[in-house]
Amino acid sequence: MNTVTSVKARTLPDAVVASLFDPKNAEDYHYAAPAVQFGASAVSNPLLDRAYAIEQKYGITSSAFDDIRVAVLGIDLQKDFCFPPVIGADGTVMGGGTLYVGGRDGKGAITNNKTITTWGYKYLPIITQWNLTLDTHHSFQIFLASMLRDGNGKPLAPFTLVTADMVEKGDVTIDEGVLPYIAPGNRVQMRVWAKRQLIHYCKELDRLGKDPLIIWTRHCQLGTPGHALVGVISEVADIHAYARHSPLRLKVKGEHTWSERYSAISEEVRTIWQKDAGGNNLPLPGANRDVDFMRLLTVNRMVVIFGQAGSHCDRATIDDIVDWVLANDKSLASKIYIAEDGMSPVVTPVMDFTERQEKALDKFRNAGCHVVRLATPIHEWPDSPFTA
């Protein structure tokens, strides 16, 4: 049994951090760390070379032997969320991110990533493992305009709020062409099933106290540049993996056709409109609540959470974790450290979710979690197991 209660917070010197990370790279959509280097007589992996040099010079050991285990949970640190769009003269997005989380000052995710990356290098010697989620979508999903049409058969506009009443009246319908791929039965049965399912989904969101169905811009579609991790985040996570012999854990989320999945833990709605013999709604095929992932995180002494967006995917993920913790072992809440300077709220021309994020942070504080700042030394965090 591990009886260690505190250890010194080993860090890499500021000069080393500065040599590894240029903050300007966090502003560059196209930045990617060099993966291969061709020399006169050899081929090398520059990231592995840097990690090996750090490991040797500073006596970095395998994370498998950490007395105090620190897990990082970085949520959706992907290009579509972390860079502003490049907009052409006609208003078309020509590049950059498609759903930028800029916060009210417009610099949100970029500033957050500078803070996260600096922190990741500084505390590389004591971070046990990086866990990164990847929001992952496809051509037709319930929250995309490609799947839902208005009463005239036209795709819905981004940021439209869809209610059960709109579906019941026929003001919102499912794209007829895609029905054979997403609904059972013949043509008539597919149409009926899909309408009932969409109504059920909207009503369940309301019953569960969740956001109404929102039509988002196309983002994080698998295979597109915007799905990729931000370059500086991928770089620090890989160097950590090499230096500490700690596999980077990537968790894909968000692929279900019939449900949004803000949370890394579960879909927003996990049932369909059809009922079993006991009158309970049947499970939504393919939906799940990832209890194993929550267990993997909470066996660590600290779970440090950051990413995008604080008002949505961060909030929903932490909500699921906290609900599970409070139902199983309330003491686990004190292991959760939420980095408020590592996240920003969604702010669009028609929506501002800043207060939503602030209220969520208050809720998590009241549940026993710690809301901290990455800019504050880790040994000064509440209940920190580290000393100066």
Side-chain angles (χ1 to χ4, degrees):
M1 181 176 177
N2 190 345
T3 59
V4 175
T5 57
S6 64
V7 299
K8 179 178 172 59
R10 294 185 60 205
T11 61
L12 290 183
D14 290 344
V16 175
V17 174
S19 72
L20 294 168
F21 173 52
D22 181 351
K24 290 183 180 179
N25 290 334
E27 303 173 14
D28 184 354
Y29 181 93
H30 299 287
Y31 176 76
V36 180
Q37 184 171 353
F38 294 92
S41 59
V43 179
S44 65
N45 178 338
L47 294 186
L48 182 57
D49 292 343
R50 290 183 215 170
Y52 180 74
I54 293 170
E55 180 184 347
Q56 295 299 303
K57 184 171 183 178
Y58 296 100
I60 306 298
T61 57
S62 169
S63 67
F65 306 109
D66 285 352
D67 290 318
I68 304 294
R69 296 182 61 83
V70 179
V72 163
L73 176 56
I75 298 172
D76 299 357
L77 292 163
Q78 296 160 267
K79 290 185 176 182
D80 268 346
F81 296 130
C82 293
F83 293 99
V86 177
I87 301 175
D90 63 352
T92 302
V93 174
M94 308 297 291
T98 61
L99 192 53
Y100 176 51
V101 184
R104 285 180 175 172
D105 68 1
K107 301 177 182 178
I110 290 175
T111 300
N112 299 150
N113 286 337
K114 291 179 181 180
T115 303
I116 291 167
T117 306
T118 300
W119 182 86
Y121 282 120
K122 180 176 181 178
Y123 290 105
L124 181 148
I126 62 171
I127 295 171
T128 304
Q129 185 171 47
W130 278 73
N131 301 269
L132 296 174
T133 68
L134 292 170
D135 205 34
T136 303
H137 302 314
H138 300 279
S139 301
F140 298 96
Q141 294 191 257
I142 197 170
F143 49 85
L144 295 176
S146 55
M147 184 163 153
L148 299 185
R149 304 296 174 94
D150 66 17
N152 297 315
K154 294 182 179 179
L156 295 181
F159 310 122
T160 298
L161 299 183
V162 178
T163 66
D165 184 59
M166 293 166 68
V167 181
E168 289 171 337
K169 290 179 178 179
D171 294 332
V172 173
T173 63
I174 305 288
D175 171 30
E176 289 276 328
V178 79
L179 282 178
Y181 301 99
I182 63 173
N186 59 37
R187 183 167 294 185
V188 174
Q189 291 169 331
M190 285 187 291
R191 189 181 298 116
V192 172
W193 190 96
K195 182 175 182 177
R196 288 181 178 177
Q197 176 57 22
L198 184 55
I199 291 170
H200 167 77
Y201 184 81
C202 293
K203 286 184 175 180
E204 279 296 282
L205 288 175
D206 186 57
R207 185 184 71 81
L208 295 168
K210 300 188 178 231
D211 286 342
L213 174 59
I214 300 175
I215 302 304
W216 295 106
T217 55
R218 175 180 177 268
H219 64 279
C220 295
Q221 185 165 319
L222 186 62
T224 65
H227 180 262
L229 290 169
V230 171
V232 294
I233 298 296
S234 177
E235 185 173 29
V236 66
D238 278 342
I239 288 179
H240 172 273
Y242 295 145
R244 302 228 56 211
H245 308 273
S246 175
L248 165 63
R249 184 184 291 129
L250 295 171
K251 182 172 178 54
V252 171
K253 70 180 185 68
E255 294 186 281
H256 208 294
T257 301
W258 281 105
S259 180
E260 301 151 288
R261 183 160 179 165
Y262 297 113
S263 171
I265 307 303
S266 68
E267 280 77 14
E268 292 291 279
V269 175
R270 302 198 306 276
T271 60
I272 61 175
W273 60 272
Q274 291 164 296
K275 297 181 184 295
D276 61 20
N280 301 306
N281 290 100
L282 294 170
L284 178 65
N288 71 88
R289 183 168 179 257
D290 198 342
V291 174
D292 287 341
F293 185 61
M294 291 189 283
R295 289 191 178 121
L296 281 172
L297 291 174
T298 54
V299 296
N300 295 280
R301 174 59 184 81
M302 304 176 80
V303 182
V304 183
I305 303 175
F306 44 67
Q308 302 306 340
S311 55
H312 285 76
C313 295
D314 295 359
R315 174 192 57 78
T317 299
I318 301 168
D319 249 336
D320 277 346
I321 294 173
V322 168
D323 285 348
W324 178 79
V325 162
L326 295 181
N328 290 275
D329 183 352
K330 294 180 181 179
S331 69
L332 297 178
S334 65
K335 293 185 173 187
I336 300 171
Y337 291 79
I338 305 163
E340 62 179 334
D341 57 348
M343 60 182 63
S344 294
V346 170
V347 177
T348 75
V350 294
M351 298 174 177
D352 184 339
F353 291 97
T354 303
E355 291 185 7
R356 152 78 73 75
Q357 176 174 308
E358 293 169 350
K359 288 180 179 178
L361 293 177
D362 286 339
K363 174 184 175 181
F364 301 141
R365 284 190 190 95
N366 292 334
C369 303
H370 302 296
V371 178
V372 298
R373 298 185 67 80
L374 298 176
T376 301
I378 199 169
H379 64 269
E380 295 181 9
W381 290 2
D383 298 327
S384 175
F386 294 102
T387 60

